[in-house]
Amino acid sequence: MTSTHRKFELFRHASPARVYPAKAVIFKAGDEGHVMYAVKRGRVAVVVEGNAVDTLEEFEVFGEMALLEQKTRSATIVALEETELVEIGQPQFYMLVRENPPFALQIMQLLSERLRRADALYALYKPDEVT
């Protein structure tokens, strides 16, 4: 999908980070989600119902929906190459929001952008409506 992705540079020097090998499944749709992730290095694919719908790269985040809602994951995430990820749990997330209010705005903008992309994909692939 061609779009401008939102970068979260504040994770540039974050530690600790965990390294995943190429083709590793970070999590699957339906898994419980208690952390979000920031890509420190590498690339991951966002897979929905077996289709890669997006690729995320350095300084992009994912998994924020499950963290915020305390619900299951809505997509599967797979490392496309060796990838270093920073895990952000709920306590760290709330600290980031308190100490860096622009971060909260960036997350809201990211959610809005992803919702618009999902709506556009749905409009493209939904079955013809019955009249």
Coordinates of all heavy atoms in Angstrom, one line a residue, residues 31-80:
D31 N -4.4 -13.3 18.9 CA -3.6 -13.4 20.2 C -3.9 -12.3 21.1 O -4.4 -11.2 20.7 CB -2.1 -13.2 19.8 CG -1.5 -14.4 19.2 OD1 -2.2 -15.5 19.0 OD2 -0.3 -14.3 18.8
E32 N -3.8 -12.5 22.4 CA -3.9 -11.5 23.4 C -2.8 -10.5 23.2 O -1.7 -10.8 22.8 CB -3.7 -12.1 24.8 CG -4.8 -13.0 25.3 CD -6.1 -12.3 25.7 OE1 -6.0 -11.3 26.3 OE2 -7.2 -12.9 25.5
G33 N -3.1 -9.2 23.4 CA -2.1 -8.1 23.2 C -2.0 -7.2 24.4 O -2.9 -6.6 24.8
H34 N -0.8 -7.2 25.0 CA -0.5 -6.4 26.2 C 0.6 -5.4 25.9 O 0.9 -4.6 26.8 CB -0.2 -7.3 27.4 CG -1.3 -8.3 27.7 ND1 -2.5 -7.9 28.2 CD2 -1.3 -9.6 27.5 CE1 -3.2 -9.0 28.3 NE2 -2.6 -10.0 27.9
V35 N 1.2 -5.4 24.7 CA 2.3 -4.5 24.4 C 2.1 -4.0 23.0 O 1.5 -4.7 22.2 CB 3.7 -5.1 24.6 CG1 3.9 -5.4 26.0 CG2 3.9 -6.2 23.7
M36 N 2.6 -2.8 22.7 CA 2.8 -2.4 21.3 C 4.2 -2.4 21.0 O 5.1 -2.6 21.9 CB 2.1 -1.0 21.1 CG 2.8 0.1 21.8 SD 2.0 1.7 21.6 CE 2.9 2.3 20.1
Y37 N 4.6 -2.2 19.7 CA 6.0 -2.4 19.3 C 6.4 -1.2 18.5 O 5.6 -0.6 17.7 CB 6.2 -3.6 18.5 CG 5.9 -4.9 19.2 CD1 4.6 -5.4 19.3 CD2 6.9 -5.6 19.8 CE1 4.4 -6.6 19.9 CE2 6.7 -6.8 20.5 CZ 5.4 -7.3 20.5 OH 5.1 -8.5 21.2
A38 N 7.7 -0.8 18.6 CA 8.3 0.2 17.7 C 9.4 -0.5 16.9 O 10.2 -1.3 17.5 CB 8.8 1.3 18.5
V39 N 9.4 -0.3 15.6 CA 10.5 -1.0 14.8 C 11.7 -0.1 15.0 O 11.7 1.1 14.5 CB 10.1 -1.1 13.3 CG1 11.2 -1.7 12.5 CG2 8.8 -1.9 13.2
K40 N 12.7 -0.6 15.6 CA 14.0 0.1 15.7 C 14.9 -0.1 14.5 O 15.6 0.8 14.1 CB 14.7 -0.4 17.0 CG 15.9 0.5 17.4 CD 16.4 0.1 18.8 CE 17.5 0.9 19.2 NZ 18.0 0.6 20.5
R41 N 14.8 -1.3 13.9 CA 15.6 -1.7 12.7 C 14.9 -2.8 12.1 O 14.4 -3.7 12.7 CB 17.0 -2.1 13.2 CG 17.9 -2.6 12.1 CD 19.3 -3.0 12.6 NE 19.3 -4.0 13.7 CZ 19.2 -5.3 13.5 NH1 19.1 -5.8 12.3 NH2 19.2 -6.1 14.6
G42 N 14.8 -2.8 10.7 CA 14.2 -3.9 10.0 C 12.9 -3.5 9.4 O 12.5 -2.3 9.3
R43 N 12.1 -4.6 9.0 CA 10.8 -4.4 8.4 C 9.9 -5.5 8.8 O 10.3 -6.7 8.9 CB 10.9 -4.4 6.9 CG 11.7 -3.2 6.3 CD 11.7 -3.2 4.8 NE 12.0 -4.5 4.2 CZ 11.3 -5.2 3.3 NH1 10.3 -4.6 2.7 NH2 11.7 -6.3 2.8
V44 N 8.6 -5.2 8.9 CA 7.6 -6.2 9.2 C 6.4 -6.1 8.3 O 6.2 -5.0 7.8 CB 7.1 -6.1 10.7 CG1 8.2 -6.4 11.7 CG2 6.3 -4.8 11.0
A45 N 5.8 -7.2 8.0 CA 4.5 -7.2 7.2 C 3.3 -7.3 8.1 O 3.3 -8.0 9.1 CB 4.5 -8.4 6.2
V46 N 2.3 -6.6 7.8 CA 1.0 -6.6 8.4 C 0.1 -7.5 7.6 O -0.1 -7.2 6.4 CB 0.4 -5.2 8.6 CG1 -1.0 -5.3 9.3 CG2 1.3 -4.3 9.3
V47 N -0.3 -8.6 8.1 CA -1.1 -9.6 7.4 C -2.5 -9.8 7.9 O -2.6 -10.0 9.2 CB -0.3 -11.0 7.4 CG1 -1.1 -12.0 6.6 CG2 1.1 -10.9 6.9
V48 N -3.5 -9.6 7.1 CA -4.9 -9.8 7.5 C -5.5 -10.8 6.6 O -5.5 -10.7 5.4 CB -5.6 -8.4 7.4 CG1 -7.1 -8.6 7.7 CG2 -5.0 -7.4 8.3
E49 N -6.0 -11.8 7.2 CA -6.7 -12.9 6.5 C -5.8 -13.5 5.4 O -6.3 -13.7 4.2 CB -8.1 -12.5 6.0 CG -9.0 -12.2 7.1 CD -10.4 -11.8 6.6 OE1 -10.7 -11.8 5.4 OE2 -11.2 -11.4 7.5
G50 N -4.5 -13.6 5.7 CA -3.6 -14.2 4.7 C -3.0 -13.3 3.7 O -2.2 -13.7 2.8
N51 N -3.5 -12.0 3.7 CA -3.0 -11.0 2.7 C -2.1 -10.0 3.4 O -2.5 -9.4 4.4 CB -4.2 -10.3 2.0 CG -5.0 -11.3 1.3 OD1 -4.6 -12.0 0.4 ND2 -6.3 -11.3 1.6
A52 N -0.9 -9.7 2.8 CA -0.1 -8.6 3.3 C -0.7 -7.3 2.9 O -0.9 -7.0 1.7 CB 1.3 -8.7 2.8
V53 N -1.1 -6.5 3.9 CA -1.8 -5.3 3.6 C -0.9 -4.0 3.9 O -1.3 -2.9 3.4 CB -3.1 -5.1 4.4 CG1 -4.1 -6.2 4.1 CG2 -2.9 -5.1 5.9
D54 N 0.2 -4.2 4.5 CA 1.1 -3.1 4.7 C 2.5 -3.6 5.1 O 2.6 -4.8 5.6 CB 0.6 -2.2 5.9 CG 1.0 -0.7 5.7 OD1 1.8 -0.4 4.9 OD2 0.4 0.1 6.4
T55 N 3.5 -2.8 5.0 CA 4.8 -3.0 5.4 C 5.2 -1.9 6.3 O 5.0 -0.7 5.9 CB 5.8 -3.1 4.2 OG1 5.4 -4.2 3.4 CG2 7.2 -3.4 4.7
L56 N 5.8 -2.2 7.5 CA 6.2 -1.1 8.4 C 7.7 -1.2 8.6 O 8.3 -2.3 8.6 CB 5.5 -1.3 9.8 CG 4.0 -1.3 9.7 CD1 3.4 -1.6 11.1 CD2 3.5 0.0 9.2
E57 N 8.3 -0.1 8.7 CA 9.8 0.0 8.7 C 10.3 0.8 10.0 O 9.5 1.1 10.8 CB 10.3 0.7 7.4 CG 9.9 -0.1 6.2 CD 10.3 0.6 4.9 OE1 10.7 1.7 4.9 OE2 10.3 -0.1 3.9
E58 N 11.5 1.1 9.9 CA 12.2 1.8 11.0 C 11.3 3.0 11.6 O 10.8 3.8 10.8 CB 13.5 2.3 10.5 CG 14.5 2.8 11.5 CD 15.8 3.1 10.9 OE1 15.9 4.1 10.2 OE2 16.8 2.3 11.2
F59 N 11.2 3.0 12.9 CA 10.5 4.0 13.7 C 9.0 4.1 13.5 O 8.3 5.0 13.9 CB 11.1 5.4 13.5 CG 12.6 5.4 13.6 CD1 13.4 6.0 12.6 CD2 13.2 4.9 14.7 CE1 14.8 6.0 12.7 CE2 14.6 4.9 14.8 CZ 15.4 5.4 13.8
E60 N 8.4 3.0 12.9 CA 7.0 2.9 12.9 C 6.5 2.0 14.0 O 7.3 1.2 14.5 CB 6.5 2.3 11.5 CG 6.9 3.3 10.4 CD 6.3 2.9 9.1 OE1 5.2 3.2 8.8 OE2 7.1 2.2 8.4
V61 N 5.3 2.1 14.4 CA 4.7 1.4 15.5 C 3.6 0.5 15.1 O 2.9 0.8 14.1 CB 4.3 2.3 16.7 CG1 5.5 3.0 17.3 CG2 3.2 3.2 16.4
F62 N 3.3 -0.5 15.8 CA 2.2 -1.4 15.6 C 1.8 -2.1 16.9 O 2.5 -2.1 17.9 CB 2.5 -2.5 14.5 CG 3.6 -3.4 14.8 CD1 3.4 -4.6 15.5 CD2 4.9 -3.1 14.5 CE1 4.4 -5.5 15.8 CE2 6.0 -3.9 14.8 CZ 5.7 -5.1 15.4
G63 N 0.5 -2.6 16.9 CA 0.0 -3.3 18.1 C -0.6 -2.3 19.1 O -1.0 -2.8 20.2
E64 N -0.8 -1.1 18.7 CA -1.4 -0.1 19.6 C -2.8 -0.3 19.9 O -3.3 -0.1 21.0 CB -1.1 1.3 19.1 CG -2.0 1.7 17.9 CD -1.5 1.1 16.6 OE1 -0.4 0.6 16.5 OE2 -2.4 1.1 15.7
M65 N -3.6 -0.9 19.0 CA -5.0 -1.2 19.2 C -5.2 -2.1 20.4 O -6.0 -1.9 21.3 CB -5.7 -1.7 17.9 CG -5.8 -0.6 16.9 SD -6.4 -1.1 15.3 CE -7.5 -2.4 15.6
A66 N -4.5 -3.3 20.4 CA -4.7 -4.2 21.4 C -4.3 -3.7 22.8 O -4.9 -3.9 23.8 CB -3.9 -5.5 21.1
L67 N -3.2 -2.9 22.8 CA -2.7 -2.3 24.0 C -3.8 -1.3 24.6 O -4.1 -1.4 25.8 CB -1.4 -1.5 23.8 CG -0.9 -0.7 24.9 CD1 -0.3 -1.6 26.0 CD2 0.2 0.2 24.5
L68 N -4.3 -0.5 23.7 CA -5.3 0.5 24.2 C -6.6 -0.1 24.6 O -7.2 0.3 25.5 CB -5.5 1.6 23.1 CG -4.3 2.5 22.8 CD1 -4.6 3.3 21.5 CD2 -4.1 3.4 24.0
E69 N -7.1 -1.1 23.8 CA -8.4 -1.7 24.1 C -8.4 -2.9 25.0 O -9.4 -3.4 25.4 CB -9.0 -2.2 22.8 CG -9.3 -1.0 21.8 CD -9.9 -1.6 20.5 OE1 -9.2 -2.5 19.9 OE2 -10.9 -1.1 20.1
Q70 N -7.2 -3.5 25.2 CA -7.1 -4.7 26.0 C -7.9 -5.8 25.3 O -8.6 -6.6 26.0 CB -7.5 -4.5 27.5 CG -6.6 -3.6 28.2 CD -5.2 -4.1 28.3 OE1 -4.9 -5.1 28.9 NE2 -4.2 -3.3 27.8
K71 N -7.8 -5.9 24.0 CA -8.5 -6.9 23.2 C -7.5 -7.7 22.4 O -6.3 -7.4 22.5 CB -9.5 -6.3 22.3 CG -10.7 -5.6 23.1 CD -11.8 -5.3 22.2 CE -12.9 -4.8 23.1 NZ -14.1 -4.4 22.3
T72 N -7.9 -8.6 21.6 CA -7.0 -9.5 20.9 C -6.5 -8.7 19.6 O -7.0 -7.7 19.2 CB -7.7 -10.8 20.4 OG1 -8.9 -10.4 19.6 CG2 -8.1 -11.6 21.6
R73 N -5.4 -9.3 19.1 CA -4.8 -8.7 17.9 C -5.7 -8.8 16.7 O -6.3 -9.8 16.5 CB -3.4 -9.4 17.6 CG -2.5 -9.4 18.8 CD -1.9 -8.0 19.0 NE -0.8 -8.1 20.0 CZ -0.2 -7.0 20.5 NH1 -0.5 -5.8 20.0 NH2 0.8 -7.2 21.4
S74 N -5.7 -7.8 15.9 CA -6.5 -7.8 14.7 C -5.8 -8.2 13.4 O -6.4 -8.3 12.4 CB -7.1 -6.4 14.5 OG -6.1 -5.4 14.3
A75 N -4.4 -8.4 13.5 CA -3.6 -8.7 12.3 C -2.5 -9.6 12.8 O -2.2 -9.7 14.0 CB -3.1 -7.5 11.6
T76 N -1.8 -10.2 11.9 CA -0.6 -11.0 12.1 C 0.6 -10.2 11.7 O 0.5 -9.5 10.6 CB -0.7 -12.3 11.4 OG1 -1.8 -13.1 11.8 CG2 0.6 -13.1 11.5
I77 N 1.6 -10.2 12.4 CA 2.8 -9.4 12.1 C 4.0 -10.4 11.9 O 4.3 -11.2 12.8 CB 3.2 -8.4 13.2 CG1 2.0 -7.4 13.5 CG2 4.4 -7.6 12.8 CD1 1.6 -6.5 12.3
V78 N 4.7 -10.3 10.7 CA 5.8 -11.1 10.4 C 7.0 -10.3 10.0 O 6.9 -9.4 9.3 CB 5.4 -12.0 9.2 CG1 6.5 -13.0 8.8 CG2 4.1 -12.8 9.5
A79 N 8.1 -10.7 10.6 CA 9.4 -10.0 10.3 C 9.8 -10.4 8.8 O 9.8 -11.5 8.5 CB 10.5 -10.4 11.2
L80 N 10.1 -9.4 8.0 CA 10.5 -9.6 6.6 C 12.0 -9.8 6.5 O 12.4 -10.3 5.5 CB 10.0 -8.4 5.7 CG 8.5 -8.3 5.6 CD1 8.2 -7.0 4.9 CD2 7.9 -9.5 4.9

